[in-house]
Amino acid sequence: MAHPDDETFGVGGTLAYYSSKGVDVHLICATKGEEGYIPAELITKNLSIAEIREAELTCAAEILGLKSVHFLGFRDSGMSGSESNKNPRALISQSIENVAERITSKIHEIKPQVIITFDPIGGYKHPDHIMIHKATSKAYFGFIEKFGQEKSSDHYLPEKLYYHIVSKKLMKVFVKMLKLAGKDPSAFGKNKDININSFVNAEFPMHVQIKTGKYQKQRKMAATCHLSQGAGKFGGKITSALIDLFNKKESFMQAYPPLPNTGRIRNDLFDN
Ligand SMILES: [Zn+2]
């Protein structure tokens, strides 16, 4: 993932589900969310934004049952077009190869069976999410290019790569509801910098859907850790009810190994 909170707001239900089943779930987070807006009352003299958000992530990781959290040490680039995009440490200032190399060495260290990352539009077109999608894919396909699909005792091979996708059916309902509530879908979010219209029609195949309704409570508790990011509360009652609806199921596209288009939707990331 790219920022502290992506693990909770995006795939929190899935992570909680698998950790509750005894699966070791590890998180690699590229930045410490340095560009996140922090309400003035949460800023103390002694803590930087990065330190606040790292502590929030540690809290959420504990609630979601994560086994470990790793940072790659890059800097949050902020939304597209912001001044922080130009910071030399910004994630999007790096080459994809450089970021992929860092991810590859973490994969060697953790040795996951299954890897989850963002879809090609990074969920809602955040430039850091898109960078992590590209770099994780590059890292993953680097293993496949080197070893093919052959498992062997002298090399390690991650079995599957998934992209977290958002159901476009639900997204379209969401846009309609926003319009009915008099809100502008092209200026969504606390900072009004998310243009839902620009990605509402981006469709990706769904191969796995995890029922995460039972894990909503845990996901919401983890969201309360991210106090600086609104603790998971976006907008009024309608928006939060719709977000709850989104989070009842989390959906994934299997990027590798490629799947024939049978329309079958599995309910486990480890299934074949
Ligand atoms: Zn993010």
Side-chain angles (χ1 to χ4, degrees):
M1 299 284 137
H3 315 107
D5 79 10
D6 294 334
E7 81 298 332
T8 299
F9 299 150
V11 289
T14 301
L15 304 190
Y17 167 75
Y18 280 107
S19 57
S20 77
K21 300 263 174 235
V23 174
D24 290 345
V25 182
H26 302 264
L27 171 71
I28 304 173
C29 189
T31 78
K32 292 190 176 171
E34 292 85 346
E35 285 301 309
Y37 165 77
I38 307 269
E41 66 272 20
L42 291 180
I43 299 180
T44 68
K45 263 189 288 188
N46 306 317
L47 291 177
S48 65
I49 293 179
E51 285 167 327
I52 292 172
R53 297 202 65 188
E54 181 177 352
E56 290 177 344
L57 174 53
T58 306
C59 164
E62 201 165 305
I63 291 171
L64 295 174
L66 306 192
K67 189 97 178 161
S68 69
V69 176
H70 305 250
F71 287 100
L72 294 185
F74 298 111
R75 193 178 186 285
D76 186 350
S77 312
M79 288 302 273
S80 194
S82 59
E83 201 46 39
S84 52
N85 289 178
K86 296 178 201 147
N87 188 303
R89 275 188 55 231
L91 183 57
I92 57 165
S93 298
Q94 318 303 313
S95 68
I96 295 173
E97 288 72 18
N98 177 21
V99 182
E101 223 169 86
R102 304 285 283 279
I103 295 171
T104 303
S105 77
K106 286 289 175 193
I107 292 175
H108 272 296
E109 191 184 322
I110 300 166
K111 297 194 169 43
Q113 274 173 275
V114 161
I115 298 173
I116 300 172
T117 192
F118 296 101
D119 67 14
I121 56 161
Y124 61 93
K125 289 200 167 173
H126 191 298
D128 284 339
H129 294 186
I130 295 171
M131 170 57 114
I132 289 303
H133 161 80
K134 288 182 181 163
T136 308
S137 303
K138 191 167 182 58
Y140 184 87
F141 286 105
F143 280 94
I144 304 299
E145 270 162 33
K146 208 164 165 193
F147 304 118
Q149 283 187 65
E150 290 300 307
K151 279 195 200 171
S152 152
S153 55
D154 48 80
H155 68 248
Y156 160 74
L157 202 59
E159 288 168 24
K160 285 170 192 257
L161 174 67
Y162 286 100
Y163 300 149
H164 170 233
I165 57 171
V166 177
S167 157
K168 289 299 174 284
K169 238 201 258 166
L170 273 180
M171 191 59 100
K172 282 174 188 160
V173 175
F174 190 51
V175 167
K176 267 192 195 150
M177 297 295 282
L178 282 178
K179 283 183 182 161
L180 282 174
K183 296 202 165 105
D184 179 4
S186 65
F188 182 69
K190 205 164 45 184
N191 304 320
K192 306 212 176 299
D193 50 4
I194 299 173
N195 180 359
I196 301 179
N197 292 334
S198 73
F199 54 81
V200 70
N201 292 316
E203 205 86 53
F204 301 104
M206 185 194 295
H207 299 120
V208 176
Q209 198 164 49
I210 310 284
K211 284 187 183 150
T212 46
K214 253 174 82 184
Y215 300 87
Q216 278 304 298
K217 229 168 141 187
Q218 214 173 327
R219 198 192 63 81
K220 281 187 177 180
M221 250 169 72
T224 61
C225 293
H226 293 290
L227 202 59
S228 74
Q229 303 307 300
K233 290 192 181 74
F234 301 98
K237 273 188 187 157
I238 297 177
T239 314
S240 26
L242 282 165
I243 287 175
D244 282 355
L245 190 69
F246 266 105
N247 289 312
K248 282 212 165 90
K249 290 173 186 168
E250 289 170 6
S251 310
F252 299 88
M253 166 189 164
Q254 184 171 308
Y256 198 90
L259 283 176
N261 196 8
T262 60
R264 185 169 85 96
I265 296 174
R266 310 186 320 258
N267 60 8
D268 186 356
L269 294 166
F270 294 90
D271 255 10
N272 284 314

